[in-house]
Amino acid sequence: MGIENDYTAPISSSSLTNSLMKLLMSAQKETLGFQAEVKQLLQLMIHSLYSNKEIFLRELISNASDAADKLRFEGLAKPDLFENDPDLKITIAFDAEAHTITIADNGIGMSRDEVVANIGTIAKSGTKAFFEQLSGDAKKDANLIGQFGVGFYSAFIVADKVTLTTRRAGDSEATRWESHGEGDYTLETVEKAGRGTEIVLHLKEGEDELLNDWKLKGIVRKYSDHISIPIEMKKGNSYGENGEVIVSDEIEVVNSASALWTRNKNDITEEQYQEFYKHIAHDFSPPLAWSHARVEGRQEYTELLYIPSRAPFDLWDRERKQGVKLYVRRVFIMEDTEKLMPHYLRFVRGVIDSNDLPLNVSREILQESKDIDAIRNGCVKKVLGLLEDMAANQADKYADFWKEFGQVLKEGVGEDHTNKERIAKLLRFVSTHSEGSEPTVTLADYVSRMKEGQEKIYYITADTLAAAKNSPHLEVFKKKGVEVLLLIDRVDEWSVGSLFDFDGKPLQSVAKGALDLGALEDEADKEAQKQAEESAKPVVEKVQKALGEKVKEVRATARLTDSPACLVAGEHDMSAHLERMLKAAGQSVSNNKPTLEINPEHVLVKKLAEEVDEERANDLAEVLYEQALLAEGGKLEDPATFVKRINKLMLELSA
Ligand code: ADP
């Protein structure tokens, strides 16, 4: 709520003052237009989800159950809200003659403003970005819509008119919302005896098969058995075998009506776990894995935590809600709190039900609570355990997980000090030893393949895999057969920067500091390097003079075999790659100058050493520097002059 409504003004053109008009409007029927996104969603949903139409019932029951949760929570402080009707339940009825199905709850209900804000607009953050992804291809979009969560609007898959009547607990007036699911809806203030929401679906032609208690019970049991309050089926008018109308007021509870997580593990089927996930996560796809445990000890709680099989549309949206719900002794307390799951596990969905926290726990109390810290730590360990287990026993599944959430998990290396080691073991990389481009290399794999005398874990960061693979910085490592991790995710700079070491081996960027291969270098290498440095002195000075302030230093190197030159950052400076990323994000960075390393064995460098024409030598030196900058993905400050220089040199060559 508190969002800007995008509906068109009431269709009326009286000259009454605003306030008077408002007063009148609240009493009479007004017609409002849907937010543009709602119209789009409705169209798409009706077409792309038709083959899965039964889900409308799951979605409406899910909302009704949430409404009951909200009432239970608000009722803790204001018992009057229960209005002498304390038994929360959901009722489903149908009428074969009227071609309607009615889903009713005695949950929290909605005020008129809430109806406008909730049913008629989509208040989710990231909605716009989500709609931009839609392609118009029904199959692809059905997938995306599932990710977005369709909720209430799924009613229009089977209905061509929906009438929602709702009264917020404690209010005297009720609101009726009605729509054909096209461009607009009407609102009206009405009377309603019981609190809560009643939704009447006027079925489309051809949907009569739903008007059957077996059919409806089947759907409820399949999708909504886990709902913790009773779902009652009211047999209304149905047709008998000979087409006669049978009137019945029989009522039957169709679900198990106990919170799923409170049941014994052995009594819960895979399917039930999956349907419960879909309910709490608003996701269509089954989860990848879950952990369900009752924890005893200093804190007593039950956790049922799921790893989704794919990233939600708003995984990168800062304003998105967190996905774990907190219950205290079966009463829903709140969901969107970072206190329950750290940011790097924001993809986890599920329920934590505490036995010990006070029922009146507020966000403020949670913020300070040591008890909640203990619960959170326990749950983080469960999730990491789940991932470790998957990585060890179901490599394919883990690869799927990594594809969806690997980048998020990487944040954990910097975020969660306590579990850094465990998270590091869960990381997957592409390296110079990888066959393809799939990240499958673990740090443990890397360490087990380290060469004799190798003391460090080498890595390179770049924008793309090609840029990383072909970087001049790798040349000496290729020559010596030393593996290098190729890091191309934006988060990598931050995660390797926080990791420092693994299994006692420091991580070392191959693009930073002077080349130090430690014991990987034999005596002959060292001698060769020394001699090269000695003999390269004049050319180093020449280049230094030509480049002046552009570089911090020029030096001869043994790290290059094919390239004439490369740039390296200072050991403790920010890498050039990170500097570029920050600049692109509009942040100011201290401009550390790089060191230019040149390969004295390269023909071009030899040519430069011999060059007597000063202008030409300067041009060559500039080109060496500019090439090195380009090769590591950098940007030239003066590309036009670079082109001129190259052309000049090419002409001289061909002359
Ligand atoms: P979602 O459930 O994903 O938020 P919906 O479109 O299903 O999306 O519902 C939008 C909002 O409308 C809900 O978040 C809730 O605030 C409100 N709502 C829907 N159904 C009910 C109901 N039966 N009782 C009270 N509020 C409801």
Side-chain angles (χ1 to χ4, degrees), residues 63-64 67 70 105 109-110 118-119 124 150-153 197 282:
N63 282 347
K70 285 179 196 160
D105 65 68
M110 284 178 272
N118 294 332
I119 314 275
K124 293 179 184 156
V150 286
F152 173 77
Y153 303 107
T197 303
H282 298 273

Side-chain angles (χ1 to χ4, degrees), residues 421-429 440-450 457 483 485 499 501-503 505 507:
E421 306 273 298
R422 284 180 81 173
I423 300 167
K425 287 185 188 150
L426 288 166
L427 304 181
R428 296 293 180 270
F429 300 96
T440 54
V441 177
T442 65
L443 288 170
D445 292 338
Y446 183 100
V447 169
S448 73
R449 289 197 286 256
M450 278 167 73
I457 298 172
E483 184 169 6
L485 301 176
L499 188 58
D501 54 26
F502 177 81
D503 199 9
K505 319 273 186 299
L507 271 82

Side-chain angles (χ1 to χ4, degrees), residues 70-136:
K70 285 179 196 160
L71 175 65
R72 235 192 251 131
F73 178 64
E74 284 193 26
L76 291 174
K78 292 185 226 153
D80 287 355
L81 293 181
F82 282 101
E83 304 174 357
N84 298 323
D85 174 19
D87 298 324
L88 296 171
K89 63 181 181 194
I90 299 166
T91 315
I92 300 172
F94 65 92
D95 185 330
E97 271 188 309
H99 303 276
T100 58
I101 297 177
T102 302
I103 296 112
D105 65 68
N106 57 352
I108 191 74
M110 284 178 272
S111 68
R112 189 187 183 98
D113 287 349
E114 284 169 337
V115 171
V116 174
N118 294 332
I119 314 275
T121 54
I122 306 176
K124 293 179 184 156
S125 63
T127 299
K128 193 159 173 266
F130 167 77
F131 276 93
E132 280 163 9
Q133 285 182 49
L134 296 176
S135 62

Side-chain angles (χ1 to χ4, degrees), residues 295-303 305 326 338-342 352-357 365-383 416 418-419:
V295 180
E296 288 170 4
R298 201 165 77 82
Q299 281 296 315
E300 253 177 54
Y301 61 92
T302 301
E303 54 87 3
L305 299 170
L326 176 68
E338 267 200 45
K339 271 309 255 183
L340 295 175
M341 264 302 137
I352 297 172
D353 188 351
S354 158
N355 255 347
D356 309 314
L357 291 172
I365 294 174
L366 277 187
Q367 221 50 41
E368 303 292 315
S369 163
K370 290 266 175 298
D371 296 335
I372 202 83
D373 287 344
I375 294 177
R376 169 169 138 143
N377 292 343
C379 288
V380 166
K381 293 205 155 65
K382 286 273 182 224
V383 173
D416 186 348
T418 328
N419 294 301

Side-chain angles (χ1 to χ4, degrees), residues 497-622:
S498 326
L499 188 58
F500 301 116
D501 54 26
F502 177 81
D503 199 9
K505 319 273 186 299
L507 271 82
Q508 170 69 49
S509 162
V510 301
K512 276 190 192 179
L515 180 69
D516 174 14
L517 293 174
L520 281 172
E521 266 175 321
D522 53 28
E523 284 310 311
D525 284 339
K526 284 184 191 149
E527 191 48 40
Q529 166 75 14
K530 226 163 129 190
Q531 286 208 345
E533 271 172 30
E534 201 53 42
S535 61
K537 257 189 185 156
V539 67
V540 163
E541 270 164 31
K542 220 179 206 175
V543 177
Q544 178 87 68
K545 208 171 130 212
L547 296 180
E549 294 296 300
K550 281 190 183 140
V551 292
K552 186 159 82 193
E553 190 196 342
V554 179
R555 64 180 175 232
T557 184
R559 85 168 87 215
L560 300 171
T561 57
D562 306 328
S563 305
C566 68
L567 291 171
V568 289
E571 186 65 69
H572 304 291
D573 289 349
M574 199 182 272
S575 79
H577 178 242
L578 179 57
E579 224 169 73
R580 278 195 300 278
M581 275 193 332
L582 291 177
K583 265 188 198 155
Q587 299 197 27
S588 63
V589 287
S590 65
N591 277 318
N592 287 314
K593 283 182 200 157
T595 293
L596 181 73
E597 292 194 345
I598 55 174
N599 172 7
E601 298 304 314
H602 197 278
V603 254
L604 269 179
V605 178
K606 285 185 171 157
K607 268 233 146 71
L608 174 56
E610 290 158 14
E611 186 57 63
V612 284
D613 180 324
E614 198 181 323
E615 193 185 322
R616 202 144 173 226
N618 284 350
D619 277 345
L620 272 172
E622 291 278 4

Side-chain angles (χ1 to χ4, degrees), residues 124-130 312-322 343 346:
K124 293 179 184 156
S125 63
T127 299
K128 193 159 173 266
F130 167 77
F313 75 99
D314 56 357
L315 185 65
W316 300 100
D317 191 327
R318 291 228 145 251
E319 281 160 49
R320 61 183 296 283
K321 285 190 180 174
Q322 296 287 310
H343 199 60
R346 61 184 176 274

